[in-house]
């Protein structure tokens, strides 16, 4: 079954999903294996793999290690066109609709398209929206784009609506990895009430309580990365909070 069909089916049924974000740069092989084992035992729905900037050559090895040790689907969350692999199950084809940088809206996609077609990777067209979190994140700096102000719910809402009208299949609102504050429940609720495609939320989620709050506000998929790198024991608690 295609990954997007699973996401869509679960979202329509109101089943909350939990994605563990792995930045291939960060964990050692041992840390990665413990993250994988913990995820396998914690009902994790997806691994998202990618980062805004990779400084090591670990991308391929990271995906191979996950595929060898886990049956959880691997969904690429690419920061750039170097982060593509046919070993993955699907790829979030991110168009940065919160920004006005043409390269991130369509330019990189033109470069990636032939590779994706040749390798028959499942592509999930995703409206990617950066939301301001109080400090410049790697994602907003590297994408050369201004995030949507945290209190401008109307801008977020209209951007997400336009993304859906353009045919994008999911909306991913992200405060950025390691964000000081998460996206507000008010903004999540407002967007969720006005779109029909699955809503993915991430950035700065560090506790089971916060993950639950984000899911209750309307996230169909809650994404957590940073905090799990050194605290893989949190995976089970956050997973239970999201799925409850
Ligand atoms: C960032 O949404 C993800 O792109 C996850 O953020 O690493 O802060 O959990 P964290």
């Amino acid at each position: 079954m295609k990954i997007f069909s699973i996401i869509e089916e679960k979202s329509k049924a109101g089943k909350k999903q939990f994605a563990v974000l792995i930045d291939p740069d960060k964990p050692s092989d041992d840390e990665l294996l413990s993250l994988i084992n913990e995820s396998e035992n914690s009902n994790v729905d997806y691994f998202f793999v990618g980062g805004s900037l990779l400084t090591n050559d670990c991308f391929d090895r990271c995906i191979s290690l996950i595929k060898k040790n886990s049956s959880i689907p691997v969904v690429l969350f690419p920061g750039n066109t170097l982060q593509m692999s046919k070993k993955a199950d699907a790829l979030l084809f991110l168009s940065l609709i919160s920004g006005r940088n043409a390269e991130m809206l369509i330019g990189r996609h033109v470069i990636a398209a032939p590779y994706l077609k040749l390798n028959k990777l499942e592509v999930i067209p995703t409206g990617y929206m950066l939301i301001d979190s109080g400090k410049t994140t790697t994602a907003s700096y590297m994408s050369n784009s201004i995030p949507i102000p945290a209190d401008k719910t109307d801008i977020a809402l209209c951007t997400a609506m336009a993304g859906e009208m353009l045919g994008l299949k999911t909306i991913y609102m992200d405060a950025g990895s390691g964000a000081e504050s998460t996206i507000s429940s008010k903004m999540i609720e407002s967007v969720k009430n006005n779109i029909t495609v699955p809503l993915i939320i991430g950035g700065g989620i560090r506790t089971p309580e916060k993950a639950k709050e984000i899911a209750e506000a309307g996230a169909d998929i809650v994404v957590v990365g940073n905090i799990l790198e050194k605290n893989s024991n949190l995976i089970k608690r956050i997973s239970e909070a999201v799925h409850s």
Side-chain angles (χ1 to χ4, degrees):
M1 193 173 181
K2 294 265 189 200
I3 303 299
F4 179 69
S5 306
I6 299 172
I7 295 175
E8 195 178 36
E9 207 169 88
K10 286 188 175 175
S11 301
K12 281 191 177 148
K15 288 187 183 153
K16 302 296 177 180
Q17 300 146 75
F18 176 38
V20 168
L21 173 66
I22 297 177
D23 181 338
D25 248 4
K26 304 265 181 70
S28 64
D29 282 5
D30 282 350
E31 285 168 343
L32 188 53
L33 280 171
S34 113
L35 210 71
I36 293 168
N37 287 337
E38 203 59 42
S39 301
E40 276 288 324
N41 296 327
S42 305
N43 201 16
V44 166
D45 295 278
Y46 319 99
F47 284 122
F48 284 4
V49 179
S52 301
L53 176 69
L54 301 189
T55 54
N56 289 325
D57 189 19
C58 300
F59 183 68
D60 252 343
R61 203 177 79 233
C62 173
I63 293 166
S64 300
L65 200 70
I66 301 173
K67 292 305 296 177
K68 204 170 140 198
N69 293 284
S70 170
S71 55
I72 298 169
V74 172
V75 179
L76 299 179
F77 173 51
N80 57 53
T81 47
L82 296 173
Q83 295 174 32
M84 294 191 290
S85 165
K86 58 183 168 190
K87 292 180 201 144
D89 298 288
L91 170 139
L92 296 179
F93 205 34
L94 304 166
S95 183
L96 184 58
I97 58 175
S98 59
R100 298 296 178 266
N101 178 347
E103 273 300 305
M104 304 310 248
L105 277 161
I106 180 66
R108 303 273 175 91
H109 313 69
V110 174
I111 295 166
Y115 174 92
L116 297 172
K117 190 160 178 112
L118 280 170
N119 288 291
K120 300 190 173 63
L121 200 58
E122 181 188 341
V123 166
I124 304 175
T126 301
Y128 187 48
M129 297 167 52
L130 291 175
I131 311 298
D132 192 37
S133 62
K135 66 168 189 186
T136 305
T137 59
T138 309
S140 65
Y141 182 83
M142 292 304 294
S143 64
N144 194 18
S145 75
I146 302 170
I148 294 175
D151 59 342
K152 300 291 183 192
T153 298
D154 286 352
I155 300 179
L157 168 60
C158 297
T159 306
M161 280 177 1
E164 179 172 15
M165 287 172 187
L166 281 165
L168 298 168
K169 301 281 192 224
T170 61
I171 296 292
Y172 187 158
M173 294 207 293
D174 195 349
S177 195
E180 276 168 11
S181 48
T182 59
I183 299 172
S184 71
S185 292
K186 184 181 168 213
M187 186 180 274
I188 297 170
E189 266 166 33
S190 166
V191 168
K192 179 63 187 170
N193 288 337
N194 286 281
I195 59 170
T196 61
V197 295
L199 180 60
I200 308 171
I201 302 287
I205 301 166
R206 294 180 176 83
T207 61
E209 294 73 25
K210 183 53 88 173
K212 190 176 169 65
E213 183 187 314
I214 300 266
E216 282 174 353
D220 295 297
I221 303 180
V222 176
V223 186
V224 181
N226 220 36
I227 196 71
L228 305 176
E229 281 159 16
K230 303 282 176 214
N231 301 282
S232 58
N233 55 324
L234 261 181
I235 294 176
K236 197 175 207 74
R237 289 174 52 215
I238 295 184
S239 183
E240 281 169 3
V242 170
H243 291 115
S244 73

